[in-house]
Amino acid sequence: MSKVELFENERALGYDQFVETWIPNYHIFLDQLPKLLRTAVSQQLLIVGCGTGNEIRRFVGVEPSWKITGVDPSPDMIRQATQKFHTYHHVTFFEGLVSDLESSNRYGAATLLLVLHFLEDNGDKLTLLRDIAARLLPQAPLVLLDITGDGDQIDANLKILRLLLPDGLEEAQIQHRMHRITHELKYVSEGRLSELCEEAGLEQPVRFFQSSIYVGWMTRKK
């Protein structure tokens, strides 16, 4: 993979507040994860790009028998997550990439949230999806959340996102984020995402969630 975007220092420390601000109904999406993955084919759960552990927080209380592995390339994010869950012996963290995990490990379910739009569609997105698929058991579910759409869709949904933002944000901050989304992030259309999943050995993803530019799907390992 040619480039991995790391969340470090203040960017890592402010991540939880950032996602709550910029992803309307983010907490609702996270609250559904245990229900979506209760069909896991084993009790081994892989959280890719785990960040500070927002997804993991939803699982530890509901599914205490699951063994959860969070992987993230950012030392600062892994440090925060480890501090949050140091009393949970069934939760482990790995600083690095999915490709660094033991290839013999096979997980019964996985999540990949807010990661793909940082990767170029030059083979990097496909490589990550293949690396995840290679570590899943057959028919293991994978839940994805990402910024998705073509140019016109993104522009229209950004206007809706602006309406849903919390009161009190500075206009300069809003403009900076809008510019970054449209000019710096590497989002793809929903059709292209489907192609990438199928190339990676996953079933065609099914959309089940959308909040402005953020779209959620479920797929399974073939």
Side-chain angles (χ1 to χ4, degrees):
M1 193 171 292
S2 60
K3 182 181 178 182
V4 175
E5 179 147 346
L6 298 182
F7 283 70
E8 299 177 299
N9 303 320
E10 290 185 7
R11 194 178 182 197
L13 290 172
Y15 180 78
D16 288 353
Q17 182 178 354
F18 173 82
V19 291
E20 288 288 348
T21 298
W22 282 95
I23 307 178
N25 299 314
Y26 178 61
H27 63 287
I28 295 176
F29 175 87
L30 292 181
D31 288 344
Q32 303 310 309
L33 289 177
K35 293 181 181 179
L36 291 169
L37 296 183
R38 61 187 170 192
T39 60
V41 296
S42 84
Q43 294 181 328
Q44 301 271 358
L45 175 61
L46 177 63
I47 308 294
V48 180
C50 66
T52 62
N54 286 327
E55 305 101 293
I56 295 171
R57 176 65 67 193
R58 267 60 178 190
F59 288 106
V60 291
V62 177
E63 302 290 352
S65 62
W66 285 12
K67 294 182 179 179
I68 301 171
T69 300
V71 57
D72 199 288
S74 167
D76 287 347
M77 297 291 250
I78 288 291
R79 189 176 303 112
Q80 286 188 64
T82 301
Q83 290 172 351
K84 283 183 182 179
F85 300 100
H86 70 277
T87 60
Y88 293 91
H89 301 297
H90 60 299
V91 179
T92 59
F93 293 99
F94 182 87
E95 181 188 322
L97 306 176
V98 176
S99 58
D100 298 324
L101 295 172
E102 287 291 337
S103 58
S104 60
N105 289 349
R106 290 293 183 271
Y107 298 89
T111 65
L112 178 65
L113 310 187
L114 305 174
V115 174
L116 285 176
H117 60 255
F118 292 118
L119 302 179
E120 295 278 3
D121 190 15
N122 58 1
D124 289 354
K125 292 182 192 292
L126 179 58
T127 295
L128 176 56
L129 289 169
R130 278 179 171 163
D131 287 340
I132 295 170
R135 288 160 177 80
L136 293 178
L137 292 166
Q139 288 301 296
L142 168 65
V143 173
L144 304 101
L145 177 69
D146 216 70
I147 296 174
T148 309
D150 59 27
D152 291 339
Q153 288 174 323
I154 292 292
D155 289 343
N157 280 320
L158 279 176
K159 293 176 182 177
I160 294 175
L161 175 60
R162 176 184 276 273
L163 297 174
L164 297 174
L165 291 174
D167 295 335
L169 291 181
E170 295 181 0
E171 181 62 25
Q173 180 185 354
I174 295 174
Q175 290 291 343
H176 173 77
R177 177 61 182 166
M178 297 289 182
H179 183 274
R180 175 163 165 74
I181 290 169
T182 54
H183 293 90
E184 298 179 28
L185 299 184
K186 288 83 175 180
Y187 54 84
V188 294
S189 69
E190 190 167 23
R192 177 57 181 155
L193 179 68
S194 293
E195 292 175 355
L196 288 167
C197 285
E198 295 197 74
E199 286 184 63
L202 301 163
E203 295 180 356
Q204 184 172 352
V206 176
R207 188 205 308 196
F208 67 88
F209 174 89
Q210 181 167 4
S211 182
S212 65
I213 59 174
Y214 301 94
V215 185
W217 307 265
M218 177 180 279
T219 182
R220 290 181 183 273
K221 168 76 176 288
K222 290 182 180 178

